[in-house]
Amino acid sequence: MASALAAKMGLNSLRRKQARNFNVRISTMESDMEFNCEVKWKGKDLFDLVCRTLGLRETWFFGLQYNIKDTVAWLKMDKKVLDQEVPKEEPITLHFLAKFYPENAEEELVQDITQHLFFLQVKRKILEEEIHCPPEASVLLASYAVHAKYGDYDPSVHKPGFLAQEELLPKRVINLYQMTAEMWEERITACYVEHRGRTRDEAEMEYLKIAQDLDMYGVNYFLIRNKKGTDLLLGVDALGLHIYEPDNRLTPKCSFPWNEIRNISYSDKEFTIKPLDKKTNVFKFNSSRLRVNKLILQLCIGNHDLFMRRRRVDSLEVQQMKTQAREERARKQVERQRLEREKQLREEAERARDELERRLIQLQDEAHMANEALLRSEQTADLLAEKAQIAEEEAKLLAQKAAEAETEMQRIKVTAIRSQEERRLMEQKMLEVEMLALKMAEESERRAKEAEQLKQDLQEARESERRAKHKLLEITSKAVYTPPALPADSMPADLSFSRENLSFDFKDTDMKRLSMEIEKEKVEYMEKSKHLQEQLNELKTEIESLKLKERETPLDIIHNQNTEQGTSKHSNFKKLTLQSTKSRVAFFEEL
């Protein structure tokens, strides 16, 4: 079965070589590209085509990577593409990635496209946790990534929830704290607001300046064994070779800068490194596979060349690129200043327009109020005119009544004259009536005396009748009936009800907020930037109380110990390289 499969793969390879062209898919950090290549093309032909397509001139940092079994390999520039162990299926998939990292991104990366590709690759490695990043640095890096994508913060556009679909933090950091997505977004946005005024390129460069000081930045790790058979990790980066313990990829046990290494070679699985000091013994280690040794050697040669290149005068091409980059940055700076002025003028014009609109609305309101006041005054004038008309009519009516009253007075005067004659006659009649009344009074008095006499006679007759009845009763009645005495009134006792007043005393419970004092731990990541240091410390202090200690990974614990001891990537490297090469080699062999 295996032999049949190998024969089939060999047949496919033969057919591909016999064909005139083959297809290649190049995967970059942003998109994929497909090329139709000639069979005779070498790795450099394909690589140059990709770089031209991207507009990339700083080609020495990059390479074409492909997967082979359980490891990776880089396309060799001097060999034909089809003669290498590239995937057999078409289109052949290759990954365009940064193979070597700069020591100082700000000084070495010239082109914007170079910087952008590094930014995307480092960002992905941090999110996929290939580079360990502490939580506070993760938040700050995320804020620069947001600024690179969205530009300046605008509260009218970047409303709460605008980062809901963005992948900005490593899952390890998210799981380490009792914080919701909204709380993370709030802290990222707080940092994002402070980056106002930066361009996308500046935000990406700030991202790289922070990331390049992370302990695992730019380091390729390989499992090795020393003479004693101890399992160790070899780290290859821009500064040199580093030896780590397998469970600690942050702090190397010993380091060898490139300027102390004279020669690197391998034989089968054994790797040999010769120090520059000829009195120092060579040190050797073994890797797991021959293919890994080839990869280590490629990385060592490339990093060593770049290390020496940085310490020489720039080539004419690099000088031209830097000059063009400076001119381009100056042009962009002038353009940005022009845009800033235009933006400022536009904002001032918008403010003036808003002020004019506000003033117009105010004048319209005042005009509306004046119209309403005029309408009310007109209505008042009409009402007063109507009242004046009514008053005039009432005056006419009163004048008419006054005339009628005058006429009535004349009539009364005439009537009064007639009444005097009638009064004289009435007085005469009254006198006669008085005389008649006097006679009648005398007659009434006489009659009254007669009535009184009749009353006395009636009283005497009734008394005689009573005595006769009494005597008759005494004769006819043998016994006298005495009615029984009535019982005392029985009244129900008065019922007395008393109602107690119920009262409830409600006491207000004082609600007090519990405040927790967060212990501030001093972090020293960025020795060059005091402002950045303060930002990292502030972020760490804000989220420290929400950390779940039990979820810390071994690398988190090691990083915290290094932070407490004040150990950083650069300080540890300087400390290790102060030792003699001989003592470091001896230390490596004794591990």
Side-chain angles (χ1 to χ4, degrees), residues 369-486:
M369 292 172 63
N371 288 334
E372 289 182 350
L374 179 61
L375 181 61
R376 286 196 300 270
S377 64
E378 290 177 350
Q379 291 175 350
T380 304
D382 294 341
L383 183 61
L384 291 174
E386 185 178 352
K387 287 183 177 181
Q389 184 178 359
I390 293 172
E392 186 178 354
E393 292 177 354
E394 288 179 350
K396 291 180 179 179
L397 183 60
L398 289 174
Q400 183 179 355
K401 287 184 177 181
E404 292 177 354
E406 184 66 24
T407 304
E408 183 67 15
M409 286 178 63
Q410 293 297 329
R411 187 185 64 78
I412 290 172
K413 285 181 180 179
V414 173
T415 304
I417 293 172
R418 292 177 181 174
S419 295
Q420 288 179 357
E421 183 64 24
E422 291 176 355
R423 186 175 62 183
R424 187 180 62 76
L425 294 175
M426 287 292 294
E427 288 177 352
Q428 185 177 354
K429 288 182 179 181
M430 285 177 62
L431 184 59
E432 293 175 354
V433 170
E434 286 178 358
M435 293 296 293
L436 181 59
L438 182 59
K439 289 180 181 180
M440 289 180 68
E442 290 176 353
E443 182 64 20
S444 174
E445 185 178 354
R446 186 180 63 75
R447 294 288 179 93
K449 289 179 180 180
E450 289 178 358
E452 184 67 28
Q453 184 63 40
L454 288 173
K455 284 182 180 180
Q456 290 178 1
D457 293 341
L458 178 60
Q459 185 71 23
E460 290 176 0
R462 286 180 177 175
E463 183 65 25
S464 298
E465 182 181 3
R466 187 184 65 77
R467 285 195 300 271
K469 285 181 179 180
H470 182 67
K471 189 173 182 179
L472 179 61
L473 287 173
E474 287 178 353
I475 296 171
T476 58
S477 299
K478 294 180 180 181
V480 179
Y481 172 74
T482 304
L486 293 173

Side-chain angles (χ1 to χ4, degrees), residues 34-85:
E34 288 200 10
F35 299 98
N36 187 260
C37 307
E38 297 181 11
V39 175
K40 63 180 182 180
W41 275 16
K42 294 183 179 180
K44 185 171 181 4
D45 298 322
L46 177 58
F47 181 74
D48 290 344
L49 177 61
V50 175
C51 292
R52 285 197 303 271
T53 304
L54 293 173
L56 180 69
R57 296 179 64 185
E58 295 173 280
T59 58
W60 47 87
F61 290 113
F62 297 90
L64 292 172
Q65 187 187 83
Y66 58 90
N67 298 320
I68 176 170
K69 294 184 179 180
D70 56 348
T71 186
V72 297
W74 295 90
L75 196 69
K76 295 181 177 63
M77 298 292 107
D78 56 348
K79 291 182 64 176
K80 288 184 179 180
V81 175
L82 296 182
D83 289 344
Q84 303 184 48
E85 297 177 303

Side-chain angles (χ1 to χ4, degrees), residues 73-138:
W74 295 90
L75 196 69
K76 295 181 177 63
M77 298 292 107
D78 56 348
K79 291 182 64 176
K80 288 184 179 180
V81 175
L82 296 182
D83 289 344
Q84 303 184 48
E85 297 177 303
V86 295
K88 305 304 178 183
E89 301 80 12
E90 283 199 28
I92 300 171
T93 301
L94 302 174
H95 303 279
F96 187 82
L97 297 171
K99 186 176 181 181
F100 307 106
Y101 287 75
E103 290 182 34
N104 188 318
E106 189 174 21
E107 293 180 1
E108 295 182 48
L109 301 183
V110 179
Q111 284 187 288
D112 292 338
I113 181 62
T114 311
Q115 173 184 303
H116 184 59
L117 291 173
F118 266 100
F119 163 74
L120 293 176
Q121 184 165 331
V122 172
K123 177 186 172 186
R124 177 175 292 182
K125 282 183 173 290
I126 289 175
L127 293 179
E128 294 178 354
E129 300 183 31
E130 295 180 29
I131 297 176
H132 179 269
C133 185
E136 60 275 12
S138 298

Side-chain angles (χ1 to χ4, degrees), residues 159-301:
K159 297 180 180 179
F162 78 105
L163 298 179
Q165 304 301 321
E166 298 287 343
E167 185 183 6
L168 298 170
L169 297 171
K171 292 182 180 178
R172 172 187 58 83
V173 173
I174 296 174
N175 295 331
L176 190 58
Y177 292 87
Q178 290 180 313
M179 294 174 63
T180 62
E182 291 76 14
M183 295 170 69
W184 284 117
E185 180 179 317
E186 181 182 350
R187 278 163 174 77
I188 292 172
T189 305
C191 297
Y192 171 37
V193 173
E194 297 181 5
H195 307 330
R196 183 175 182 82
R198 298 181 187 271
T199 63
R200 188 197 77 167
D201 298 334
E202 290 173 343
E204 291 179 350
M205 180 53 70
E206 290 299 323
Y207 188 102
L208 292 175
K209 285 164 64 176
I210 297 171
Q212 71 185 3
D213 285 333
L214 299 176
D215 294 304
M216 295 174 64
Y217 169 86
V219 182
N220 293 281
Y221 296 92
F222 301 95
L223 186 63
I224 61 170
R225 288 181 180 175
N226 61 4
K227 288 182 178 180
K228 286 188 173 184
T230 306
D231 288 334
L232 299 168
L233 285 176
L234 173 69
V236 183
D237 70 357
L239 296 175
L241 298 177
H242 314 279
I243 307 300
Y244 300 84
E245 293 179 340
D247 58 350
N248 182 1
R249 297 190 175 205
L250 300 182
T251 311
K253 303 301 291 183
C254 59
S255 297
F256 300 91
W258 293 120
N259 59 347
E260 294 182 4
I261 297 174
R262 177 166 53 93
N263 182 267
I264 302 173
S265 61
Y266 71 89
S267 175
D268 195 16
K269 295 182 180 180
E270 186 178 69
F271 215 94
T272 304
I273 298 178
K274 296 180 180 179
L276 189 63
D277 185 2
K278 295 181 179 181
K279 296 180 181 180
T280 304
N281 295 330
V282 298
F283 66 97
K284 300 179 180 181
F285 57 83
N286 295 319
S287 64
S288 57
R289 293 184 303 278
L290 175 62
R291 184 178 291 108
V292 174
N293 273 348
K294 292 180 180 179
L295 181 57
I296 293 174
L297 185 62
Q298 284 184 24
L299 293 174
C300 287
I301 294 173

